[in-house]
């Protein structure tokens, strides 16, 4: 499985809300869905687009990032992963031909906790940083 090198979407920034990456070899939309579900440990997600579309360039904004669809378009992303996508944003992604994956808000952000904790630990030794292991996702799925 390819590793994706991630970089901030905004060129002059070292941190930001989103990131982008490019696979060495294209995969289908279905394969990307399978990988996202496995990484986020989820059984289902929402998507917009053709499952057979070839995906190479991917943009991602964890949490509610629908308003950044234009940024994904500007960098010519084949796929955009974000959560809380509204109906009209989904229609726009479909019209633009961007394969959009919405894994839900909580799963898209929970993987960030270890990285954030490490960043804080790297700049301060005076405070003990604890990573919560409690799920605060209010949604249940049937």
């Amino acid at each position: 499985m390819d590793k994706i090198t991630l970089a901030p979407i905004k060129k002059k920034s070292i941190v930001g809300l989103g990131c982008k990456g490019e696979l060495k070899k294209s995969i289908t939309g279905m394969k990307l869905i399978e990988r996202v579900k496995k990484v986020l440990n989820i059984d289902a997600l929402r998507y917009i687009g053709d499952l057979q579309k070839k995906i190479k360039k991917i943009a991602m904004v964890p949490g509610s990032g629908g308003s950044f669809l234009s940024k994904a378009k500007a960098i010519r992303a084949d796929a955009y992963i974000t959560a809380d996508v509204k109906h009209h944003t989904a229609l726009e992604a479909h019209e633009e031909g961007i394969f959009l994956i919405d894994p839900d808000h909580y799963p898209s952000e929970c993987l960030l906790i270890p990285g954030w904790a490490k960043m804080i630990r790297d700049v301060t030794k005076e405070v003990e940083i604890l990573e919560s292991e409690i799920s605060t996702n209010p949604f249940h799925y049937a």
Side-chain angles (χ1 to χ4, degrees):
M1 193 179 299
D2 289 338
K3 298 266 186 205
I4 301 173
T5 302
L6 299 175
I9 288 176
K10 197 172 173 184
K11 288 183 181 181
K12 294 184 180 184
S13 175
I14 59 166
V15 296
L17 294 175
C19 56
K20 63 183 177 179
E22 193 163 335
L23 298 168
K24 290 179 184 174
K25 291 173 33 177
S26 296
I27 60 173
T28 65
M30 186 68 221
K31 186 70 173 172
L32 181 59
I33 285 174
E34 291 168 359
R35 290 172 76 169
V36 169
K37 286 168 50 176
K38 182 176 181 179
V39 167
L40 298 180
N41 193 28
I42 57 176
D43 295 323
L45 51 71
R46 300 188 309 166
Y47 73 92
I48 290 92
D50 178 1
L51 291 172
Q52 297 309 310
K53 178 180 175 149
K54 296 295 182 188
I55 307 291
K56 189 162 187 180
K57 188 182 280 189
I58 301 167
M60 180 186 156
V61 173
S64 186
S67 62
F68 293 99
L69 178 64
S70 62
K71 299 284 187 191
K73 178 184 171 192
I75 64 165
R76 300 180 192 268
D78 301 312
Y80 181 45
I81 304 167
T82 194
D84 301 336
V85 176
K86 294 182 179 182
H87 179 80
H88 290 99
T89 304
L91 290 174
E92 183 182 347
H94 180 71
E95 289 172 9
E96 296 292 341
I98 297 172
F99 192 82
L100 192 144
I101 294 179
D102 181 342
D104 202 14
H105 193 101
Y106 180 83
S108 75
E109 286 189 340
C110 69
L111 291 179
L112 299 174
I113 293 170
W116 287 341
K118 182 185 180 315
M119 271 191 330
I120 296 168
R121 284 185 192 109
D122 288 347
V123 297
T124 182
K125 304 296 182 213
E126 294 82 32
V127 178
E128 182 181 10
I129 305 301
L130 303 174
E131 299 170 43
S132 175
E133 295 179 13
I134 300 169
S135 172
T136 57
N137 188 356
F139 293 102
H140 300 279
Y141 301 91

